[in-house]
Amino acid sequence: HFSKSNQFYLSYFTVLNYIFLASLLAGLISLIINYRKLKTKEEKRPLLLIVISFALGTASVIYTLTVANAIADSFFNSPELFTPIILVAIIPISFGISIFKYQLMDVSVVVKNAIIYGAATLIVAAIYFLIIYVVGQTISEAIGTEYQGIIAGVIFILFAVIFQSTKDNFQDLLTKKFYPEQFAYQKVLVKFSTDLPGMVGLGNILDSIADTFVEALKLKNFGISLRNEKNIFVLKRSIGISDEHLILAINENFFNEDIWKKRTAVNHCIIDQEEFKNVLNEDAEKLVKKGIYTLVPMMVKSKVIGFLMLGLKPSGSKFAGKDIEILCAVANQAAVSIENARLYEKEVHRLTLEGDLETARKIQQGLLPKCIPAMNGLDICGEMIPAFQVGGDYYDLIPISESKIFVVVGDVSGKGLPASLIMTKLQSMIQLYCGEEKSPKEILIDVNKKLYESMERNWFVTLSLALFNTEKRLMTFCRAGHSNLLYALNGKAEYVQSKGIGLGLEQGDIFASSLEEKTISFKSGSIFVFCSDGVSEAMNSSFEIYGLDKLTSCVLENREKTSIDILKSIIDDVKLHRGDFEQNDDISLVVVKST
């Protein structure tokens, strides 16, 4: 049983060793190829030291995995044979020396810190392996060498787990000591990413992002741009960018889902200055001039909603290394918070608008007259039901004397708030022009002239206007393109048709000549139904209209009732026909019954 376990661990570590060796060989081959491509001695000299040290380090690994393993029975019993593996440490040292000696980068302080950092890390690693060796030797002497392989494997795994947190803390300490800027950036960004989900309000979120990068991270050039409704990216917050009205248009193909997924899969979510032209086309130069070196896209469901635009750090370096991973996390969290804040603002705006429209609906309904159950032998009732909160249909009852009253039913083209505003204007005009000495036709001509001057050409109004004279028992009727008037008496019904075009279509003679005025003598029991096409053209889920026949039948069936009951019967019948289907047009309805 134990020999099989021994064999398993041996095979496991052997595979890992050979993977490590293959990586080193691949790196060495790549270095040699690049070295041979260089043409001059001056170009080759800085790389020569790196190639030699890399070759020595690789050779030490090959020796350890082959010769040392063949000579020694285990690492714990013959550590001196495995000592050459230390040559691996010259690889990072040679990189540092080459950079510093040949001034490959103007970062002498950084190189110095890197060497110290690397040495400290190697010391930690040496202590780590020394402790494992000492513990392994002690246990082997106490138990014996029979199970030494298994014991070594168990100790290695357990100590690796226990040592991990200590190693991480030590690395944080080293980073804080030798790379204080990087350490501060990481801590600030991680804390900010944690705090961001709790912020409320788009303005607060943008201010917090700006404060974090400008005040906490000391950036001299920074900006936040967000996509607007026109798919243009507009600068919302900035520091060091003089153009407050900076707008950008992006190349959407750059953020093709497949391409971007491949980039983000390797934690490369930022866009460097060299790539600005691929993303911004002709707008790239704008950001270069503003001192922006890095773009971090903020994305929601594969759609770019904005950018974090970053300049250089106070040290003069660009964001790199672990910063990129944290910046990606911050950008993702910021994108979600910004999008949620936008949705919240839209919802608040929608609720506010609905509240305003509900208020407008109440005001509009308040402008409509109440039923007049008794007026010298007339029983009159009307109602307007908008398809939305407010509508473009309306009716009015305008008494001008004890024996005369005008009945108006109108329908503005379109629905909703714009139509309701025109309706309000029309109602004021009708009330202004309805006088005792004017006929319906004369009133419509006057209203049309005034309305034509103040209304846009893509709007028009249909309207029926009737004057009831209870003293003479006459009804004078004129129709400007509106629905026909239903007249019922003694169980029979007919539709009164008269010529006329809509208001606002033509200002002068054509409109006046199109109008036809008719007069009807009414008796006790006569019923007049004025309605808009929202009644006759009401549809159900099968797109079948209510129709004039059903309207006629409903009126005749309820002819013995009062005007208000006839009106309610018509509305209930229309609703029954429509079922659960949404109301598709405004409804205005007036019923006049002679008593």
Side-chain angles (χ1 to χ4, degrees):
H1 175 73
F2 288 108
S3 61
K4 289 182 179 179
S5 300
N6 246 338
Q7 187 64 35
F8 169 77
Y9 287 116
L10 182 61
S11 300
Y12 177 74
F13 286 109
T14 300
V15 171
L16 289 180
N17 288 334
Y18 281 111
I19 291 174
F20 176 59
L21 176 59
S23 301
L24 285 176
L25 286 172
L28 179 60
I29 293 170
S30 176
L31 277 172
I32 293 173
I33 292 173
N34 282 281
Y35 178 80
R36 289 176 62 85
K37 287 181 179 180
L38 299 175
K39 296 179 180 180
T40 65
K41 290 183 179 180
E42 288 74 15
E43 291 177 325
K44 290 183 176 182
R45 191 177 294 117
L47 194 59
L48 180 61
L49 178 61
I50 297 175
V51 172
I52 293 172
S53 63
F54 210 99
L56 287 174
T58 304
S60 69
V61 174
I62 295 174
Y63 162 80
T64 303
L65 295 178
T66 56
V67 178
N69 269 334
I71 297 174
D73 54 350
S74 73
F75 169 78
F76 297 104
N77 293 329
S78 305
E80 66 281 356
L81 296 176
F82 292 87
T83 303
I85 193 66
I86 297 175
L87 291 174
V88 174
I90 69 174
I91 295 176
I93 294 174
S94 67
F95 273 91
I97 292 174
S98 293
I99 293 173
F100 181 74
K101 182 177 180 180
Y102 297 105
Q103 297 182 349
L104 299 181
M105 297 171 61
D106 187 17
V107 287
S108 56
V109 175
V110 175
V111 172
K112 177 183 175 182
N113 289 341
I115 294 172
I116 298 173
Y117 184 87
T121 303
L122 286 175
I123 292 171
V124 173
I127 295 172
Y128 174 65
F129 284 108
L130 179 63
I131 293 174
I132 291 179
Y133 173 70
V134 172
V135 172
Q137 286 289 87
T138 303
I139 295 176
S140 296
E141 290 175 1
I143 299 177
T145 60
E146 183 179 356
Y147 307 116
Q148 193 176 56
I150 298 175
I151 294 170
V154 171
I155 291 173
F156 183 85
I157 294 172
L158 289 176
F159 194 75
V161 174
I162 297 170
F163 192 75
Q164 182 65 37
S165 61
T166 304
K167 178 180 73 65
D168 291 341
N169 291 334
F170 186 73
Q171 284 185 336
D172 284 344
L173 181 64
L174 291 176
T175 304
K176 185 176 181 180
K177 174 65 178 175
F178 298 112
Y179 300 97
E181 182 186 68
Q182 179 181 342
F183 182 81
Y185 273 43
Q186 292 175 10
K187 290 296 181 184
V188 169
L189 290 176
V190 168
K191 183 179 183 302
F192 174 68
S193 182
T194 304
D195 295 342
L196 191 58
M199 298 178 189
V200 178
L202 181 59
N204 292 334
I205 292 172
L206 295 178
D207 288 340
S208 180
I209 295 174
D211 290 344
T212 298
F213 282 92
V214 174
E215 295 182 11
L217 303 184
K218 309 300 181 185
L219 292 189
K220 294 182 179 179
N221 298 89
F222 174 78
I224 307 172
S225 63
L226 296 181
R227 186 194 293 262
N228 63 14
E229 296 80 4
K230 298 179 180 179
N231 285 328
I232 299 296
F233 289 80
V234 181
L235 193 65
K236 293 296 184 180
R237 297 290 188 278
S238 67
I239 185 72
I241 300 176
S242 57
D243 187 1
E244 297 181 356
H245 303 290
L246 178 69
I247 59 173
L248 304 170
I250 70 168
N251 177 13
E252 299 284 357
N253 292 331
F254 184 86
F255 296 96
N256 175 276
E257 189 173 352
D258 293 334
I259 297 175
W260 194 251
K261 277 185 177 179
K262 290 178 182 177
R263 289 173 63 99
T264 53
V266 293
N267 291 327
H268 187 56
C269 73
I270 68 171
I271 299 168
D272 292 319
Q273 197 178 74
E274 295 76 16
E275 297 179 289
F276 282 5
K277 285 189 176 180
N278 297 332
V279 182
L280 301 172
N281 300 324
E282 64 274 6
D283 290 335
E285 194 61 29
K286 295 180 182 178
L287 293 189
V288 175
K289 291 180 179 178
K290 304 300 179 186
I292 300 300
Y293 284 80
T294 304
L295 289 179
V296 188
M298 295 183 288
M299 304 186 71
V300 175
K301 295 181 179 179
S302 301
K303 181 180 180 181
V304 183
I305 68 163
F307 291 101
L308 299 179
M309 303 185 295
L310 313 176
L312 296 176
K313 298 179 182 180
S315 62
S317 62
K318 295 193 297 184
F319 285 88
K322 277 192 174 182
D323 294 339
I324 296 176
E325 183 179 344
I326 300 174
L327 282 172
C328 293
V330 169
N332 290 335
Q333 189 62 64
V336 173
S337 297
I338 289 171
E339 194 67 8
N340 287 340
R342 280 177 160 178
L343 292 174
Y344 177 77
E345 286 186 353
K346 286 181 179 179
E347 181 64 13
V348 170
H349 179 70
R350 185 186 67 81
L351 292 175
T352 302
L353 182 59
E354 284 188 356
D356 291 342
L357 288 174
E358 178 61 20
T359 302
R361 185 193 67 81
K362 292 178 180 178
I363 293 173
Q364 186 181 48
Q365 292 293 329
L367 294 174
L368 300 176
K370 306 301 180 184
C371 294
I372 304 176
M375 180 192 166
N376 294 331
L378 291 181
D379 176 13
I380 309 173
C381 192
E383 185 167 356
M384 195 277 283
I385 306 173
F388 304 116
Q389 286 95 334
V390 291
D393 276 17
Y394 98 103
Y395 76 92
D396 207 350
L397 307 175
I398 308 171
I400 57 173
S401 71
E402 293 183 359
S403 60
K404 292 181 180 180
I405 184 171
F406 281 100
V407 174
V408 191
V409 175
D411 183 1
V412 179
S413 61
K415 296 179 286 293
L417 189 59
S420 72
L421 295 175
I422 294 176
M423 180 277 287
T424 303
K425 179 189 291 187
L426 177 64
Q427 186 179 30
S428 299
M429 290 182 184
I430 293 289
Q431 291 178 350
L432 177 64
Y433 286 109
C434 281
E436 188 171 357
E437 304 301 325
K438 287 190 176 182
S439 69
K441 181 176 180 178
E442 292 171 336
I443 294 171
L444 289 180
I445 292 172
D446 291 340
V447 170
N448 179 67
K449 288 180 181 179
K450 194 69 176 177
L451 196 63
Y452 186 87
E453 295 172 357
S454 61
M455 193 167 64
E456 294 182 11
R457 299 285 73 82
N458 57 328
W459 292 89
F460 66 93
V461 179
T462 64
L463 187 137
S464 291
L465 180 60
L467 173 60
F468 284 85
N469 188 328
T470 58
E471 184 178 340
K472 298 180 179 180
R473 308 288 281 183
L474 294 175
M475 187 278 296
T476 305
F477 173 71
C478 195
R479 185 177 67 94
H482 199 64
S483 300
N484 294 324
L485 167 66
L486 173 59
Y487 174 58
L489 179 65
N490 298 328
K492 296 180 181 180
E494 63 175 318
Y495 285 92
V496 181
Q497 298 182 358
S498 63
K499 298 177 183 180
I501 63 173
L503 296 163
L505 294 174
E506 197 276 332
Q507 184 178 17
D509 296 337
I510 295 177
F511 176 82
S513 62
S514 72
L515 294 179
E516 180 184 7
E517 198 171 69
K518 289 192 173 184
T519 301
I520 298 175
S521 176
F522 58 86
K523 302 176 182 178
S524 178
S526 294
I527 300 173
F528 298 89
V529 178
F530 303 84
C531 65
S532 65
D533 54 10
V535 175
S536 59
E537 296 179 4
M539 289 188 294
N540 58 20
S541 56
S542 299
F543 299 100
E544 297 169 339
I545 64 172
Y546 180 70
L548 297 177
D549 291 340
K550 284 189 175 183
L551 175 60
T552 302
S553 299
C554 182
V555 172
L556 293 179
E557 288 173 5
N558 296 278
R559 63 184 182 275
E560 302 298 333
K561 298 180 180 179
T562 62
S563 64
I564 189 170
D565 290 332
I566 295 173
L567 184 142
K568 287 182 177 179
S569 298
I570 295 172
I571 292 175
D572 291 342
D573 201 40
V574 170
K575 289 181 179 179
L576 180 65
H577 170 80
R578 197 173 67 238
D580 295 331
F581 197 66
E582 188 176 356
Q583 182 178 336
N584 60 301
D585 198 2
D586 301 329
I587 291 175
S588 56
L589 181 64
V590 175
V591 176
V592 180
K593 185 175 182 180
S594 174
T595 58

